Each structure stands twice: as C-alpha cells, then as structure tokens.
C-alpha cells in the first residue's frame, strides 16, 4: 500500500512543484516506486517531468470525471527513464480547471481522487500530489486522499502567517473528511543561511513545530530553477548540484519517516 502525500501551500510560487518533482525523482533514485499526480491546471509538474501537457490524451480530469482509470491515464517520461529516475505521471492541463464546475452537483465529489488511487495503491511505495496554490475543490480532493501533507515554505515573515490558514484547513479536513490526515512536515526551501531573517524564521519554526520541521533543507539553487526548461527535475538535470543533493537527502528522510508511520 502506497503512502500518499500532498505537497501543499496555498501561497503561490513557494516551491510546491519543484518539491514534488524533485522528491519524486529522488525517491525513484533510492529505489522507491512513485506515482506523481498533477493536481494543478497549470500543469507545471507534468511539463517539469518531461511530459507535454498539450499532447496528453487522458489526464487527471478524465479520472475525476470517472471516464478513465489511473491505470489508463498515467504515463511515463522518456527523459526520466534516460535519467535513471523514472516515476509514473498522472498529468494535468487547463482542462482540469473545468472539473471544479462539472463536479459541483456530484455526490462525494471530494472523494473522487481517493477512490481512483485506491485501485493502484498496491503498485507504489509513494504517491505525491502537487497541489495548486489555493484551497479549492481540487486541493480538497488531494487532502482527502492523503496520509499526510508536506508543506514547502520559504523562511520569510509572511510565510508564518499563511501557515495558520493551511493548518486550520488541514484540521478541518482531518475532523470532517479524512481522519488519517496530518502534517508530515515543513520543508524549508529556497533557503539562504546568509540572510539573517531566514535564519531567524527557521529557528522560530523549529521552536514552534519541533520535529515537524524536516532535517533536510533545500537551498536556493539556480540549477533547480533551470531544470524545468529542460523538462526534467533538478535531480536529473544536474545530480551533482547542491539543490539536487538536498532533494535526495530529503527523499531518504521521507523513506525513514514512513517506516515510523
Ligand atoms: P505555484 O503556486 O504557481 O504552483 P509553486 O509553489 O509550485 O508555484 P514552483 O513553481 O516550484 O512553486 O517555484 C516557483 C519558482 O521558484 C520557479 O521558477 C522555480 O524554478 C523557482 N524555485 C523553486 N525552488 C527553488 C530553489 N530551491 N532554488 C531556486 N529557485 C527555485
Ligand atoms: Mg506549482
């Protein structure tokens, strides 16, 4: 049975997609079977895994509308296979934005992804879900499916403020829809230890959230930002870079964490 994690933060541009694709590649690199689900109509995680979102015949949209199964809609990426870090991809494109409206009158609409994942769960060790920057019905589908939430965050003042909203949403989903759900951890990303404020916020996070803060820290690293334009995660694009190495360490930390879950 796969452990299922959402990578979520309603704040935009904080590094959710970078975390999802690099963690997926890092987990594949250490021998884990991974399915990456792109829950964002922007389709960045799809493109960043080497799959052209415009060419996809079936996507998460078809799965949510129950016109296809995950087994039918998932794809592999040649670039990831060549890079030796292959994971399966359930892709998304702008069509997915329509699902929100089309599912309005459907019963149990927030459970569609959970039910679809249950059928392939045995084939994977990890399922990683890249959430959009909102607390929408799509994100709710992700949160209802997951055992835990990974929250990437930049160590800035307003990051802490946004965290309160996310923590409250997770508490509500936990109480009403998914008793399994918990925050697995906060991941410090785009970190620059030379910036005093970042070091201070990092200390505050550890004081407040204790071992919910992952040991792994992802530095600000230009190779991670360059990788998407080549259609691969940084872990594949430049395995020797500091950014790639930090994501492989994070993958190892996740493997250890799920053994304790
Ligand atoms: P959205 O909310 O739009 O989905 P996101 O939270 O998924 O955004 P990303 O797309 O992962 O955020 O990252 C935002 C930008 O920051 C991208 O241009 C990405 O390449 C860059 N970036 C992410 N992480 C790092 C890093 N560790 N070092 C340098 N650049 C990074
Ligand atoms: Mg994103």
């Amino acid at each position: 049975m796969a452990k299922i994690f959402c990578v979520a933060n309603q704040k935009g541009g904080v590094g959710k997609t970078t975390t999802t694709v690099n963690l997926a590649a890092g987990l594949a690199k250490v021998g884990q079977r991974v399915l990456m689900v792109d829950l964002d109509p922007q389709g960045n995680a799809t493109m960043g895994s080497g799959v052209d979102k415009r060419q996809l015949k079936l996507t998460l949209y078809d799965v949510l509308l129950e016109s296809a199964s995950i087994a039918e809609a998932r794809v592999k990426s040649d670039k990831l296979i060549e890079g030796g870090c292959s994971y399966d991809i359930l892709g998304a494109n702008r069509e997915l934005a329509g699902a929100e409206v089309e599912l309005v009158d459907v019963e149990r609409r927030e459970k569609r992804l959970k039910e679809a994942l249950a059928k392939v769960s045995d084939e994977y060790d990890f399922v990683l879900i890249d959430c959009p920057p909102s607390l929408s019905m799509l994100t709710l589908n992700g949160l209802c499916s997951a055992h835990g939430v990974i929250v990437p965050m930049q160590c800035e003042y307003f990051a802490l403020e946004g965290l309160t909203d996310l923590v409250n949403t997770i508490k509500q989903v936990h109480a009403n829809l998914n008793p399994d759900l918990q925050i697995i951890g906060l991941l410090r990303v785009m970190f620059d230890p030379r910036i005093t404020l970042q070091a201070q916020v990092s200390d505050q996070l550890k004081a407040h959230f204790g071992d919910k803060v992952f040991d792994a820290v992802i530095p600000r690293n230009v190779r991670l930002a360059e990788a998407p334009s080549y259609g691969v995660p940084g872990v594949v694009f430049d395995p020797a870079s500091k950014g790639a190495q930090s994501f492989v360490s994070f993958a190892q930390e996740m493997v250890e964490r799920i053994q304790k879950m």
Side-chain angles (χ1 to χ4, degrees):
M1 277 270 285
K3 284 287 178 201
I4 304 174
F5 299 103
C6 280
V7 179
N9 189 331
Q10 77 278 21
K11 215 164 140 51
V14 292
K16 293 178 288 295
T17 301
T18 305
T19 299
T20 308
V21 299
N22 281 287
L23 177 58
L27 287 167
K29 194 166 189 155
V30 299
Q32 302 292 305
R33 299 168 302 164
V34 182
L35 171 67
M36 198 269 317
V37 178
D38 191 347
L39 194 60
D40 188 340
Q42 295 181 102
N44 294 342
T46 303
M47 299 292 280
S49 301
V51 173
D52 187 344
K53 62 184 177 184
R54 293 154 300 206
Q55 305 283 325
L56 278 173
K57 295 212 169 56
L58 295 170
T59 65
L60 175 61
Y61 171 81
D62 302 280
V63 171
L64 292 180
L65 289 168
E66 295 182 339
S67 58
S69 65
I70 293 180
E72 290 164 331
R74 68 187 163 193
V75 294
K76 286 193 184 290
S77 150
D78 293 338
K79 287 185 181 169
L80 295 181
I81 294 169
E82 283 160 25
C85 299
S86 184
Y87 51 86
D88 287 357
I89 298 149
L90 178 55
N93 53 33
R94 42 200 288 214
E95 211 180 23
L96 182 60
E100 191 110 17
V101 181
E102 286 174 60
L103 289 176
V104 157
D105 291 328
V106 173
E107 255 182 68
R108 294 164 61 75
R109 60 179 182 272
E110 70 283 350
K111 299 273 171 73
R112 290 267 171 128
L113 179 59
K114 182 188 171 88
E115 285 160 13
L117 282 171
K119 298 190 185 119
V120 295
S121 175
D122 285 344
E123 298 176 47
Y124 299 102
D125 301 303
F126 284 88
V127 176
L128 300 179
I129 305 172
D130 184 33
C131 291
S134 63
L135 298 171
S136 60
M137 204 276 294
L138 289 170
T139 303
L140 200 56
N141 257 277
L143 295 175
C144 282
S145 313
H147 299 107
V149 185
I150 296 167
V151 185
M153 55 185 302
Q154 285 169 258
C155 289
E156 289 168 352
Y157 175 70
F158 287 118
L160 292 173
E161 208 163 274
L163 205 54
T164 317
D165 293 339
L166 185 63
V167 169
N168 285 337
T169 304
I170 291 168
K171 276 189 188 151
Q172 275 181 17
V173 175
H174 173 90
N176 298 309
L177 293 165
N178 177 5
D180 287 344
L181 190 69
Q182 51 169 311
I183 291 191
I184 297 301
L186 307 176
L187 178 67
R188 291 162 285 173
V189 298
M190 299 192 221
F191 191 69
D192 185 345
R194 291 167 303 181
I195 299 176
T196 312
L197 177 65
Q198 292 210 3
Q200 282 170 351
V201 173
S202 173
D203 289 344
Q204 277 176 14
L205 276 181
K206 278 195 282 190
H208 197 258
F209 291 97
D211 59 7
K212 288 273 182 203
V213 181
F214 289 111
D215 294 333
V217 178
I218 312 300
R220 185 172 283 283
N221 179 255
V222 69
R223 303 302 266 170
L224 291 173
E226 287 168 352
S229 62
Y230 296 86
V232 284
V235 167
V236 173
F237 177 58
D238 185 356
S241 65
K242 285 249 157 46
Q245 287 178 349
S246 64
F247 271 115
V248 174
S249 302
F250 178 42
Q252 280 158 341
E253 191 176 350
M254 281 302 295
V255 172
E256 284 161 26
R257 287 239 178 169
I258 67 160
Q259 279 156 4
K260 293 182 208 144
M261 275 175 81

